[in-house]
Amino acid sequence: TTYLIDESVQSPEAWRWTVDNSRHAYVINGQHTSFTPTHPGYYDITLWARNDIDSATVTQPGALLVLNADSKNGLMMSGGEQLESTASPFADGTKAFTIEWWMLPYQANGALNITTANQQVDITTDADGTTYVTIGGKTVNSGENYVQPNQWHHYAITFTFGAVKFYRDGQLIANPSSRIGTSTTDWGHLLISGGDNGYKGQIDELRIWSKALSLSAMKNYINAPLADTDNLVSSGGLVAYYDFNQDGGSVKDRTSNALDLTRLGFGPD
C-alpha cells in the first residue's frame, strides 16, 4: 500500500493525486489517501491542489517504484561472480521457455548474461541496452534501450518454436520477425554472469518456465513472489524459482526440482 500525504500550505480545499508512468495511471481524490498499485514500474506522482484563490500543481518524477518483493533481498553482483545450476533446467529438444526476473543493473553492458554450458543458448546485453538471444547459432535482438540501467524493472524473454519476444514490466517491448532455432539438444547447465563481461547490479525473483508465458499469465506472476509452487510445477510449467532470500550458500530453487545455483567467486559467506 502506498500512502499519499499532502503538505501544502495556503489552506487548500480540494486535492487530486495522479500516479502515472505513461502506461498506467491512477487518479485519487482527497488530501491524505492511500492506494495499492497493481502494475510494476516507476511512477511520477502529481498533486493538484486548490484553495479559494487559485490552484497549483507539483510533480515528483519517478517518486514511486512498484516491485513484487522487498528490493533489499536481491542478490548483489559486482562483475566477477557467476551462478551455475546443479543440473540443466531445460529438457533436450526444448521448443519453448520463459525466463523472467527483476533486476537493477548498474550498467547496461553485461546486464544479466545467461548462457548454457555448451553455449547452445546465449543471452547477452551490450552498452546501449540491446539484449541478444542466440539459440543454435542464430540470433535476434530487442533493439536499443531494452535494459534500463540504475532502475529496477521486471524483464521477461519468451521463446516458442523459434520466435522470441522481449517484455519489460509486463509490456511487450520487441517482437522480432526473424526466427531462430526451433529446438536444440544437450542444453547443459545454466550459467549466469561470469567471464569478461560479468553482471554488475542486483537480481531478484528469477523464474524459468517450460513454456512461453502469455502476457496475461505473466502479469499474474510478476507482481508478487510465487505461491503454491508445487501446483505451478505440476500444471503451470514452472521449472525453477529463485527468490534469493537466503543469507549465504547456494541459491535455493524454491521448487521441488531442486535446481539450486552454485555461487562461484562470491567470497566467503
Side-chain angles (χ1 to χ4, degrees):
T1 300
T2 298
Y3 297 91
L4 303 174
I5 306 299
D6 169 53
E7 296 183 350
S8 302
V9 296
Q10 306 300 329
S11 302
E13 299 172 345
W15 303 262
R16 183 177 66 247
W17 301 86
T18 303
V19 183
D20 177 80
N21 71 352
S22 77
R23 296 185 303 273
H24 305 286
Y26 306 88
V27 178
I28 308 103
N29 293 307
Q31 182 179 16
H32 306 307
T33 186
S34 65
F35 80 109
T36 301
T38 57
H39 301 281
Y42 283 84
Y43 289 82
D44 300 340
I45 297 181
T46 299
L47 173 61
W48 170 88
R50 185 191 67 214
N51 61 15
D52 58 357
I53 298 175
D54 203 354
S55 64
T57 300
V58 62
T59 297
Q60 292 189 14
L64 175 64
L65 169 60
V66 180
L67 300 172
N68 77 339
D70 188 345
S71 62
K72 299 182 181 64
N73 290 338
L75 180 67
M76 179 82 71
M77 303 180 74
S78 58
E81 308 89 350
Q82 188 175 57
L83 299 169
E84 180 178 0
S85 64
T86 53
S88 175
F90 304 109
D92 287 352
T94 292
K95 294 180 173 62
F97 66 79
T98 297
I99 301 177
E100 44 114 357
W101 69 100
W102 282 87
M103 73 172 173
L104 170 63
Y106 300 149
Q107 61 184 37
N109 195 32
L112 211 60
N113 293 340
I114 300 175
T115 189
T116 52
N118 58 9
Q119 296 185 326
Q120 282 294 308
V121 178
D122 193 38
I123 302 173
T124 61
T125 303
D126 66 15
D128 67 5
T130 301
T131 294
Y132 299 85
V133 176
T134 301
I135 296 180
K138 297 181 180 180
T139 303
V140 294
N141 70 80
S142 64
E144 295 181 6
N145 301 315
Y146 172 60
V147 170
Q148 303 284 304
N150 300 308
Q151 296 181 0
W152 276 107
H153 288 285
H154 177 269
Y155 296 87
I157 296 173
T158 66
F159 166 82
T160 179
F161 293 98
V164 176
K165 295 181 180 180
F166 298 85
Y167 297 86
R168 187 178 62 236
D169 295 338
Q171 298 288 320
L172 178 63
I173 302 299
N175 182 14
S177 58
S178 299
R179 287 178 174 259
I180 52 181
T182 57
S183 66
T184 66
T185 58
D186 188 23
W187 292 60
H189 293 189
L190 192 70
L191 302 172
I192 299 175
S193 189
D196 296 332
N197 195 23
Y199 175 58
K200 296 179 181 179
Q202 298 179 56
I203 178 177
D204 205 0
E205 293 289 318
L206 172 65
R207 298 91 170 260
I208 300 172
W209 307 77
S210 62
K211 62 182 181 181
L213 293 178
S214 67
L215 182 56
S216 60
M218 195 180 300
K219 289 180 177 179
N220 288 334
Y221 298 135
I222 66 178
N223 287 334
L226 296 181
D228 194 10
T229 55
D230 288 342
N231 181 59
L232 289 174
V233 168
S234 62
S235 61
L238 181 65
V239 175
Y241 171 36
Y242 308 102
D243 60 13
F244 301 98
N245 285 349
Q246 75 279 348
D247 293 329
S250 296
V251 177
K252 298 300 181 183
D253 174 15
R254 301 303 181 182
T255 77
S256 56
N257 293 326
L259 297 172
D260 294 351
L261 298 175
T262 301
R263 303 196 312 166
L264 304 172
F266 282 85
D269 290 336

